[in-house]
Amino acid sequence: MKTLLNPLNSSNPCLLKTHFLKVPIFNPFFKFKPLPHNTHHARIAQVPSFAINSKLKSSQDINNKGKKSVSQKIVLSETSSPPLADGKVDINGGSGSENVPVSSKKKGGVSGLAKKLSKKVLQILSNLNLAIGEMFTIAALMALGTVIEQGENPDFYFKNYPEDHPVLGFFTWRWVLTLGFDHMYTSPVFFGMLALLGASLMACTYTTQIPLVKVSRRWAFLHSAEAIRKQEFSDTLPRASIQDVGTLLMGAGYEVFLKGPCLYAFQGLAGRLAPIGVHIALILIMAGGTLSAAGSFKGSVTVPQGLNFVVGDVLGPTGFLSTPTEAFNTEIHVNRFSMDYFESGEVSQFHTDLSLLDMNGKEVMRKTISVNDPLRYGGITIYQTDWSISALQILKDNEGPYNLAMAPLQINGDKKLFGTFLPVGDINSPDVKGISMLARDLQSIVLYDKEGKFAGVRRPNSKLPINIDGSEIVILDAIGSSGLDLKTDPGVPTVYAGFGALMLTTCISYLSHSQIWAIQDGTSVIIGGKTNRAKMEFPEEMNRLLDKVPEIVESSSSQQVDTITSG
């Protein structure tokens, strides 16, 4: 006669001893409350401690029958365990509001109305459809801001959006100027939509995400085999031990908790917490963008080589949060402006050597900037954005030098052309004539006589004279001007931090949060689980793990009895 070892009786209730197979990574997230001694709902029977010895046969033991089976011990005792309810049991053991005084249940007056109103407002703000609508509205406003010219004078909008020919039949300059669409990204409408979206994200975090975290912090044991079978994945392991199931899950990276015949395991809790990080990252991006739009300074200046300017004289505030700093008193000197050229003669790059001077005239910083290589100092960024030719330095008949101012000339296309004029003869005559000089860059100067005929080309610093209309001209130098853009942007660190957090938390949110429950039912283990992602891979992973669960075999005493009976 063969006797099958039954380690746990199916009629036994969930025993109270909790075995920690592994210290959980998120252990600080879990909170426990002491189990009350006098409970109104159930009586917990005292279960004496006992030990069960059994031999477990693994797949390796089956292949190698000559080797001894590994003996394991399951120890159960009568220690109280943490409760599973979410704090709904009071200190006297009653449920929820059973022992709450009547006066505490009444919600009246101003405080009750305020609570109801705030709850209703949170419910409205956390609506998903509202949040999606807010994001589409912000995107539409941003698209409109790229279509409507920004920062122009009112006359520009009067001309381009007239009332007698409205765009789309209704859109005129009144819409642009009244709603602030001429400065879209600092307009009250745009700021209002950003604030509303931020409020929706915070409301969603408070009403949806934080409660999910609280649920995730609990060890949600299931005490019913029927409840476990209702999970997305379920299976029954005959002749198995729940201890072995827990050991295998622990080896697969799960955080495993045992309480009597009940098991709970989870993996990927960070994937459940990541949506909160996504919301915080979006709020950081919007806060940084708002600070950039309402708290920045911007300005542009074209400075000839050799001249100075003060930062504070160039920068202007962009919003009501703009606050100047000590760095605004810095004086900037343009030491030299130079240009690089392609083999075709086109301009490829231009550079400006800058010196930054404090209020005492002491140089605090020096750097040569170029396009895409700005200078940063005291929260101020100086960009190289443009260039021009400010003057020509010449000798006339060995006299001088004379500085002739160069003026930009209008030509078709995006090519630049600068010109100047040297009078010849009586400068007080009503019909003054002279020598014209044109330049498209700092490489060469084209000269024309007083009749407008081509006279020749000279390079600056070549010291090669040219005779025109009886005058000897020498081009000493072409003095360039550097076009600089200056700005302060206090929101950049916040925006960068927000985008970094958004990329990180978005990747983490793709991690699957998997939960597994199991219960020992006689010699069988009923196991079930679910996951929020990877729905197709989860059953395959579970089947691979369960295939490794060792099978319970007869104990040594039973084998002896069977041997005697057979004899």
Side-chain angles (χ1 to χ4, degrees):
M1 176 179 179
K2 295 185 179 181
T3 303
L4 180 65
L5 177 64
N6 185 356
L8 293 173
N9 196 318
S10 61
S11 62
N12 289 340
C14 293
L15 301 181
L16 301 178
K17 175 65 178 178
T18 301
H19 299 271
F20 301 88
L21 295 186
K22 184 179 179 183
V23 177
I25 296 174
F26 297 96
N27 190 44
F29 288 99
F30 293 87
K31 297 181 180 179
F32 305 99
K33 298 180 181 178
L35 191 68
H37 296 288
N38 50 347
T39 305
H40 299 287
H41 299 283
R43 294 181 180 178
I44 302 176
Q46 299 294 327
V47 182
S49 302
F50 62 93
I52 299 174
N53 290 325
S54 64
K55 289 184 179 179
L56 304 180
K57 181 180 290 185
S58 63
S59 59
Q60 185 177 0
D61 296 332
I62 296 174
N63 296 331
N64 304 303
K65 293 184 178 180
K67 297 182 181 180
K68 291 184 178 181
S69 301
V70 180
S71 178
Q72 294 192 1
K73 177 183 281 189
I74 304 174
V75 181
L76 305 174
S77 65
E78 54 176 6
T79 309
S80 63
S81 64
L84 303 178
D86 186 20
K88 294 185 178 179
V89 180
D90 62 17
I91 59 174
N92 297 320
S95 64
S97 61
E98 206 170 280
N99 296 325
V100 179
V102 177
S103 60
S104 65
K105 294 182 181 180
K106 294 182 180 180
K107 295 182 179 179
V110 178
S111 61
L113 180 61
K115 289 181 179 179
K116 292 181 179 179
L117 183 60
S118 61
K119 185 176 180 180
K120 185 66 175 177
V121 171
L122 287 174
Q123 183 179 1
I124 294 174
L125 288 175
S126 59
N127 184 272
L128 179 60
N129 294 330
L130 176 63
I132 294 175
E134 292 164 356
M135 288 190 287
F136 272 107
T137 302
I138 292 174
L141 291 175
M142 294 175 66
L144 191 60
T146 61
V147 174
I148 300 176
E149 296 81 353
Q150 301 291 296
E152 300 290 344
N153 294 324
D155 293 340
F156 176 85
Y157 301 103
F158 295 154
K159 179 180 179 181
N160 290 274
Y161 302 94
E163 291 187 319
D164 53 348
H165 295 290
V167 179
L168 300 177
F170 70 95
F171 195 81
T172 65
W173 61 267
R174 294 185 183 274
W175 287 85
V176 177
L177 300 181
T178 303
L179 297 177
F181 288 171
D182 57 327
H183 52 279
M184 175 66 75
Y185 307 108
T186 58
S187 66
V189 176
F190 192 77
F191 279 165
M193 290 306 304
L194 288 180
L196 186 59
L197 179 58
S200 294
L201 289 173
M202 289 187 286
C204 179
T205 302
Y206 179 77
T207 60
T208 304
Q209 300 299 334
I210 293 180
L212 286 177
V213 174
K214 291 181 178 179
V215 171
S216 301
R217 289 164 58 185
R218 296 199 298 268
W219 300 352
F221 293 98
L222 295 180
H223 305 278
S224 169
E226 296 299 325
I228 295 177
R229 288 191 179 98
K230 291 180 180 178
Q231 300 303 317
E232 297 175 359
F233 171 86
S234 63
D235 198 359
T236 301
L237 304 177
R239 301 164 63 90
S241 169
I242 199 168
Q243 297 279 351
D244 298 326
V245 174
T247 302
L248 285 171
L249 290 175
M250 183 180 65
Y254 283 83
E255 308 296 330
V256 182
F257 308 95
L258 283 175
K259 190 176 74 170
C262 301
L263 176 146
Y264 172 68
F266 71 85
Q267 185 184 54
L269 184 60
R272 176 63 66 88
L273 305 178
I276 297 179
V278 173
H279 286 187
I280 295 175
L282 290 174
I283 293 173
L284 282 176
I285 293 172
M286 290 188 295
T290 301
L291 185 59
S292 295
S296 300
F297 286 85
K298 293 182 179 180
S300 299
V301 63
T302 300
V303 187
Q305 175 179 304
L307 297 185
N308 299 5
F309 68 95
V310 178
V311 171
D313 295 339
V314 176
L315 291 175
T318 61
F320 60 94
L321 295 178
S322 300
T323 304
T325 63
E326 284 292 329
F328 280 43
N329 296 321
T330 304
E331 187 175 4
I332 298 179
H333 178 72
V334 178
N335 298 313
R336 179 168 176 78
F337 175 78
S338 60
M339 306 175 71
D340 298 335
Y341 304 92
F342 293 112
E343 293 182 359
S344 61
E346 298 290 333
V347 176
S348 64
Q349 181 63 281
F350 34 100
H351 313 267
T352 304
D353 182 15
L354 299 176
S355 291
L356 277 64
L357 312 174
D358 61 14
M359 298 182 65
N360 297 322
K362 181 181 179 181
E363 185 178 81
V364 295
M365 185 177 182
R366 182 169 182 173
K367 181 179 179 180
T368 299
I369 67 172
S370 58
V371 178
N372 298 325
D373 184 18
L375 181 149
R376 292 181 174 88
Y377 174 78
I380 301 171
T381 306
I382 304 176
Y383 298 92
Q384 179 77 74
T385 57
D386 202 358
W387 65 273
S388 66
I389 303 176
S390 61
L392 280 183
Q393 193 174 74
I394 67 168
L395 290 176
K396 178 185 177 184
D397 298 328
N398 294 322
E399 296 180 358
Y402 301 105
N403 288 332
L404 303 179
M406 298 284 285
L409 304 178
Q410 284 286 69
I411 60 174
N412 295 329
D414 58 352
K415 301 294 184 180
K416 290 189 174 185
L417 184 64
F418 301 88
T420 189
F421 181 78
L422 176 64
V424 176
D426 186 6
I427 60 175
N428 296 319
S429 172
D431 186 17
V432 179
K433 293 186 179 182
I435 302 170
S436 299
M437 306 178 193
L438 301 178
R440 65 172 188 174
D441 51 43
L442 301 179
Q443 292 187 105
S444 57
I445 310 298
V446 182
L447 296 94
Y448 298 86
D449 62 18
K450 62 182 179 180
E451 302 297 332
K453 297 180 180 180
F454 175 74
V457 177
R458 290 293 183 270
R459 288 183 175 274
N461 299 314
S462 66
K463 298 181 181 180
L464 182 63
I466 183 172
N467 292 311
I468 304 175
D469 296 329
S471 299
E472 184 181 83
I473 307 296
V474 177
I475 308 295
L476 296 179
D477 195 9
I479 302 174
S481 293
S482 178
L484 306 174
D485 276 3
L486 289 76
K487 76 168 188 176
T488 65
D489 196 341
V492 167
T494 306
V495 172
Y496 282 1
F499 274 109
L502 181 62
M503 290 186 290
L504 179 62
T505 54
T506 300
C507 293
I508 294 176
S509 66
Y510 281 99
L511 297 177
S512 298
H513 178 235
S514 304
Q515 300 179 86
I516 296 174
W517 296 268
I519 189 170
Q520 186 83 50
D521 187 8
T523 60
S524 300
V525 174
I526 301 168
I527 186 169
K530 66 178 182 179
T531 185
N532 62 342
R533 303 188 189 277
K535 301 287 186 179
M536 301 297 293
E537 292 81 2
F538 181 69
E540 298 177 0
E541 178 190 357
M542 288 300 301
N543 287 326
R544 286 195 300 268
L545 288 174
L546 298 182
D547 288 341
K548 300 177 182 179
V549 176
E551 182 182 2
I552 295 179
V553 298
E554 298 173 348
S555 64
S556 58
S557 59
S558 299
Q559 289 178 352
Q560 293 174 2
V561 172
D562 183 59
T563 302
I564 295 172
T565 304
S566 300

